[in-house]
Structures are given as structure tokens and as C-alpha cells.
Amino acid sequence: MSRSPRLSAALLTAPLLAFLLLSFVAPIGAFLWRAVSDAEVAAVLPRTIVALAGWDGAAAPHDAAFAALVADLREARAREATGPAGGIARAASRLNADRPGLRGVLPMTARRVAAPFDGPARDAVIAISAAWADPETWGAIRRAGGPLSSFHVLAALDLRRDASGSLRALPDDQRVFGAVLVRSLWIALLVTGVCLALGWPLAWLAATARGWAATLLLGAVLLPFWISLVVRTAAWMVLLQREGVVNAALGAFGIGPLPLMMNRFAVVLAMVHILLPFMVLPLVAAFRGLDPRLPRAAASLGASPWRVFRRVTLPLCLPGIAAGCILVFIQALGFYVTPALLGGPGDQMLAWFVGFYATRSVNWGLAAALSLLLLVAVGVCVALYGRLAGFRRPGAA
Amino acid sequence: MSETLVRFEGVRKTYGAGGPAAVQSLDLDIARGELLTLLGPSGSGKTTTLMLLAGFELPSAGRIMLDGRDIARLPPHRRGIGVVFQSYALFPHMSVAENVAFPLAVRGVSKHDQARRVAKALDTVRLQGLGDRRPAQLSGGQQQRVALARALVFEPPIVLLDEPLGALDKALREEMQLEIRHIHQRLGVTMLYVTHDQAEALTLSDRIAVFEGGRVRQLADPRRLYDRPADAFVAGFVGENNLLPGVVESREELDLRVRLDCGPVVDAQAVDCGGAGERCLVAIRPERVAVAGVTAAELGEGALPAVLTEAIFQGDHVRLRLALGDGGAILAKRPAGMSALPEPGGPAAVAWPEGAAFAFRPPA
């Protein structure tokens, strides 16, 4: 074999690449694909969607659309009587995500139109439910026509299209995700700031200490890594709850009980505790990598301690500081368990809503769109980090 | 002696309570405009002395006067002393010009003046045109020049150099020694130079202070240090020396007769030595030892019989190792090309001029 060593090395990474593709890229890609794909309604109402193609969205559509709806629903009923069921229910669930109430209207209409009726389809269908006289119902069907749609992505941004297809912001009382995103970013920023403020002195001590003291300090930092995140969060619950350890101790002094849990304080406290090692370790590495002669040289050249810090120590440690901040910030942005267990309704972050829509309301499209939003937010932060701190190694030209 | 710039008065430095003193009761004057070298083996206290002056160490006792002002307790950045470190200690995140401008920038010098003085300093160390480079893009010698320019640019009253050439190879080191000497002569700036390399100290210095065990053993100009070492340590540390142990037989003023442990009796000048019956070391420089392939009687009075054991050709000179008396050995350096060198193993004689041998008290 006369392959180059580089090619052999690349081949050795092939199993890893295949593993990543199968276990990481493909599932995440498939999940995110749900944010923009829209197939449930088209599977049940193909003729209706074709009939709505030229509709202006101002008033209820022409009779042909009603006739197509009846034909589609009859065919779907007939199919489900013999084959796999659930198509109508999925389509109804999808339409319900757009227009609450349609979850019941569509199956009911399908059941009632299955029997033959007299007169025009329009009158019969509107007689079954007044919702069919509302152009927004038809708008929802058209928006869900697929195969691709911006519906979920727009919903994640608190936007929607009306029946005529123009973009509208949701009314204030229905907006959710903008505030959640801002809240998530703010909590992540707060946790990063607290981690930096607490981690800096600790990292400095650990980097400058010698012998067993350095081992002890680093061990104390690493210790939390050995315990599961859920266990650590649960431990905070034991400490902070109304009859918990902290309130019992405060009670001995006649204070409290204080509301320590189900609030922002508990969330930030536990997140800082969990994420602190990710800040301290890059900082220790940065401080250890700092040549101790450089601050000395700067002092001998006339720089005051503050100036030494600002002009020499800080710039040289900046890559480590930025690495610690970005590590903590990105992880904090996606936190799920800790806010869910320790926070109140107003402290839930974006990941909690992803979980809610994926598991409880079974709106995979919106869950995927929110994940996409989270991914973009992280991407923007990393890009910002790249611009500020640079991905180049320090000292490189 | 010209005006004193720096004065150490009874300076003492100990690490921890009751520990050994790194510097023991140091009294040392540095004259304005001179290049004084602190020479000594590692752990002799020379670097500690420099760090005390730079302000990175605080003395346990004593005063350090700079221009008549006690600076012993002043933080480093308030002393205004330039320091060149062994590892250059250039700021890797700044360009060469920014490195050199650093001491000016922290002093609030205007951008225009900074640029002018940086250009002049880079010119002094012959690095003009390299201001935009990063330190990592320069060779070791160039980095050392940048460090020198940075320590000179703010015109400090004294520049301290802590083994600045230790990381350079031999040829570059010798070139830089001359360059530092020339810069010193041209600018007239006072320099305190620390090294363990005695050849470097002899090349560079106006005066040399030899350190050992936290004390100054001798403070003298290079020629006197070489020709008239004050004790056995200096005699052995500065330049090569034969140190032959013996016992004083008789003493008359400074003229000694010493019976060497290997047998022969020789004349020596007493430098730091006791009277009859006391042990001493007789020091003779190898280049002063004459060697001939004849018997001692033929060579003349005072000549000693010897046997050549090894001759090493070194280009410009030959190093001869000879057995002397009963178990003694003596090293001689002769210019290459000299005729009448003895055969290895053959009879030989060694002799040295009167006044070339000095006697010292053996180190405790």
C-alpha cells in the first residue's frame, strides 16, 4: 500500500464521521427539517389545496373549494376505514396549531359529510360548522398546504400570515417567544457574568498556587463534574425549598421562611454552580500560559499595576476569558432541567418551550422552529466571539 | 572615581524567617556612566541584588540609594529603571514598535514624540524598519535588541541586564557583547549587568563585582581582577588557574616558600594567606607556565621536573596537562606552533616567571 499517511489518517476518522452523521447530523437535520416542512394537511386535503390556489383570501372561497373539501374528506374517511387511521387527526392537529378550535371541526366535518346530502356543498359544510364561513379557516388550510411553509418559523418569531398572505405581528397578548428569547439571552448573560466574576479569583489562585494547594483548588472546581446535572439541581431543591436546609437554618435565627425557590434567584444560583467549571478551567489555562515575566517587565517599564493588568495581563488572557464566556453562555442559553425544576413560570427558557411543544402539545413543527431559533442565537454568539476574540491562536501573525 | 549613582548600604535579603541570606550585608557603589558587572555562580546572590534594585524584591535590611534617594521600598513602576530580562519578556500581542513605545505610552508621551523616539531607539540597536513585525517573527538576537531598545528608550538613569545573552548561541553572544559595550560607550548610560560567564564579564565591564555565597568577594576592573585576584574563589572563578595545595614553609613580608603537597617547594606571593605552617593554595595561570622537553636542571633555576600526560590541540593554542611530583597535576597553555614541545610520557620541565604564583588561604 502506498497511500499517503494523510489519507490513511483520514480513513481512520471515517468511523467517527459515520457515527456523527448517523447519530448527530441526520437526526438533528431531520428534526430541524420539520420546522419548514408541512405535509400533514396536504396528505388529507390535496384537491382542496389545489382549489384554493387562486383564492384571494378576502371572503370564503368559491363553491369548487367546498366541493373539493367534501371529496377529500370522503376519500380520507374511506381510506381510514380500510387502511391506517390517524391522517385526519394529524391534519386537524396541524390546523389547530394555526387556528385553535379546528382540531374538532375537521374530524366532525369529515364524519358528517360522509353521508350523502342534498344541495350545494357550500351550504351543507357551513351548516356543519360556522367556522367554514370564516376565510381564516381556509387561510389556515392554504398556509398548511406545503410542502414547505414558513408558518412554524414565523410562529417562533411571533409572526403570522393572514388569509390573504401578508405578514402580521401577533397581537401583544399572544406574543410569547420574543420575550422568551430575550429572557433566555438575559439569564445566560447574567450567569456568564456571575461565573466570570466568581471564577476569576478562583482561577487566579489555582493557577498561581503550588503543590497540593493547586491540586486541591482544581479538585474543588472539578468535583461537581462527577455528579449528574439533575442530581445537583435536585440538591439545590433540597437546600432551597420552603422547608429546606437554608430556610431551617435561617429559621433558627428567626428569619424567614424566605421564598428561595421557584424564582430567578434559584435558577441563576444553580446554573452558576453547574457552569462554573467551564469558566474556571479555560481561565486557569490562560493564567498558567501567561509568562510571569511579562507583568514584571511592564512594571519595570513604568506601568502601574492597573495599567499592567489592562495593557498586558488582560489582552494576553483574553482568548481564555472569551473561551470561558462562550462555553458558559452557549450552555446556559440551552438550559432546560434547572429552570424547569427551580424556576417559576416566568423563568423558563427557550429549551423548556421546545420540550413543551415536542412532548406535551405534540407540535413538532413549532418545537423544531424554536430549536432553529436557539441554534441561530448560538451561531450569532459564536460569530460575535470570532469577531471579538478571533479564532486565531494568540501570537499568530 | 566619578559621582555615585546607586549605593547599596548594608543591604541584606533573607527568604523566610531564619533562612539563609541570599544577600549578606551588601555595600556597593555604582558610578554614573559605568558598566558594572555582577559575576558569580548561580545562587551567589547576583540576580537577587539586581531584583532588589529593580524593585521585584524588598530588602530585609539596609538602604538602596538612587541619586541620593532611598528607593528600597518604592514599587518597581515608580523607580524608572530599565530592565532587560534573560528571556527578553517582549509583549507578544504588540508589534516591535508598540513594545518599544510601551514605556513612553505609560508616561504619557505624545504619539508624535513616541514615534520619533521609538525610531531613534530602534536605530540605536540597528533594527530600523522592523517596527511593524511581531516579536515572534524575529530571531533571538533581534528580540534581545528590541528588549534593549525598550529599556533604553525612556532614558532611565540606569539599565539593568539580567543574563541578557544567556539564550543566544556563542557567536551571536560575542557579537551582542560588543554591541552592548558600544551602545554603553555611545550613550553613556549606566548599566548593571548580571552574568555567570566570566569571559562575558571581562569583555564588557568597566568594573566587575564577583559574588559568592551572597557576598562580594572582589570588586575591581577586569585587568586587576584577572591579574590580582583577591582570594582563592576569585582566582579559580575568573579565568583558568592552577590551584596547587601546599603548606607555607617560611614567610618574609609577602614572599613565601611553599612546600606543595605533591613534593616540590616553590616561591609565591602572599595575597590572602597565613604564616609558616599554615595551609594554602598556590595559583599559577596556565598561560604563564613554560614547558620544555628537557630536564629541569637544563631549563634553569626554579624549574620543576614534570611528565607530559596529555596535549590537546585547540587551534590557536595547545593545552598541556602535566604530572607534577607525587600525584600533582598542572595545566599549561602554550601558543600553537611553538617548537620543542615534549613528547607525551617523555621527560619535561615546567617553570614560571617570578611573581606569577600567588598564595591564597584555602576556602573553608
Side-chain angles (χ1 to χ4, degrees), chain A residues 38 40-42 44-45 48-49 52 69 73 87-107 109 132 136-146 151-152 160 362-363:
Chain A
D38 219 343
E40 292 95 342
V41 173
V44 176
L45 305 174
T48 314
I49 288 161
L52 287 174
L69 176 72
L73 288 175
I88 295 175
R90 279 199 294 274
S93 170
R94 164 67 184 86
L95 291 176
N96 193 68
D98 195 336
R99 303 282 303 165
L102 290 184
R103 192 193 297 280
V105 167
L106 194 69
T109 310
W132 294 110
E136 288 295 341
T137 304
W138 296 92
I141 291 174
R142 185 162 70 173
R143 281 194 290 277
F151 172 72
H152 296 304
R160 64 176 296 151
V362 201
N363 185 348

Side-chain angles (χ1 to χ4, degrees), chain B residues 75-154:
Chain B
H77 68 277
R78 304 263 292 277
R79 298 194 179 192
I81 292 173
V83 184
V84 177
F85 293 87
Q86 178 173 8
S87 56
Y88 324 137
L90 298 178
F91 305 127
H93 58 299
M94 299 182 193
S95 70
V96 166
E98 285 168 338
N99 263 283
V100 178
F102 185 86
L104 301 175
V106 300
R107 285 171 173 77
V109 174
S110 75
K111 286 271 176 213
H112 178 259
D113 280 2
Q114 278 184 36
R116 187 177 52 78
R117 287 169 71 174
V118 166
K120 194 171 144 229
L122 287 178
D123 206 54
T124 305
V125 296
R126 300 197 285 118
L127 281 180
Q128 51 273 60
L130 294 184
D132 293 333
R133 301 269 185 96
R134 295 267 159 181
Q137 294 172 292
L138 302 182
S139 69
Q142 287 173 322
Q143 291 188 38
Q144 192 54 78
R145 287 164 202 264
V146 176
L148 194 58
R150 190 177 64 176
L152 288 168
V153 70
F154 62 103

Side-chain angles (χ1 to χ4, degrees), chain B residues 77-296:
Chain B
H77 68 277
R78 304 263 292 277
R79 298 194 179 192
I81 292 173
V83 184
V84 177
F85 293 87
Q86 178 173 8
S87 56
Y88 324 137
L90 298 178
F91 305 127
H93 58 299
M94 299 182 193
S95 70
V96 166
E98 285 168 338
N99 263 283
V100 178
F102 185 86
L104 301 175
V106 300
R107 285 171 173 77
V109 174
S110 75
K111 286 271 176 213
H112 178 259
D113 280 2
Q114 278 184 36
R116 187 177 52 78
R117 287 169 71 174
V118 166
K120 194 171 144 229
L122 287 178
D123 206 54
T124 305
V125 296
R126 300 197 285 118
L127 281 180
Q128 51 273 60
L130 294 184
D132 293 333
R133 301 269 185 96
R134 295 267 159 181
Q137 294 172 292
L138 302 182
S139 69
Q142 287 173 322
Q143 291 188 38
Q144 192 54 78
R145 287 164 202 264
V146 176
L148 194 58
R150 190 177 64 176
L152 288 168
V153 70
F154 62 103
E155 291 166 11
I158 180 167
V159 175
L160 316 182
L161 302 104
D162 182 16
E163 308 228 9
L165 309 181
L168 304 181
D169 62 55
K170 190 167 179 290
L172 196 52
R173 199 158 64 226
E174 286 169 1
E175 184 193 324
M176 284 299 294
Q177 285 166 10
L178 283 181
E179 181 135 358
I180 289 173
R181 175 143 194 89
H182 293 157
I183 288 172
H184 168 248
Q185 286 164 349
R186 197 157 69 243
L187 302 182
V189 61
T190 313
M191 287 183 172
L192 183 68
Y193 196 101
V194 165
T195 184
H196 63 269
D197 180 344
Q198 47 92 18
E200 187 165 292
L202 294 176
T203 306
L204 277 171
S205 316
D206 294 324
R207 288 195 303 158
I208 298 171
V210 180
F211 271 68
E212 204 258 339
R215 295 177 187 282
V216 176
R217 290 307 184 105
Q218 188 173 5
L219 175 61
D221 63 84
R223 174 152 290 268
R224 184 168 178 78
L225 198 68
Y226 189 85
D227 289 343
R228 301 303 301 261
D231 64 15
F233 175 79
V234 176
F237 192 75
V238 179
E240 277 186 304
N241 236 331
N242 291 295
L243 291 172
L244 306 172
V247 179
V248 178
E249 282 213 325
S250 66
R251 174 167 185 163
E252 199 169 313
E253 299 284 307
L254 291 180
D255 295 327
L256 300 180
R257 280 194 71 74
V258 178
R259 173 167 296 280
L260 298 179
D261 290 355
C262 56
V265 177
V266 297
D267 289 330
Q269 296 266 304
V271 178
D272 161 37
C273 189
E278 299 223 10
R279 292 201 60 77
C280 69
L281 286 173
V282 175
I284 308 137
R285 293 278 180 202
E287 67 270 19
R288 314 239 19 208
V289 177
V291 179
V294 294
T295 60

Side-chain angles (χ1 to χ4, degrees), chain A residues 350-365:
Chain A
L350 210 49
W352 186 85
F353 288 85
V354 174
F356 174 80
Y357 285 106
T359 60
R360 277 191 249 176
S361 96
V362 201
N363 185 348
W364 284 70

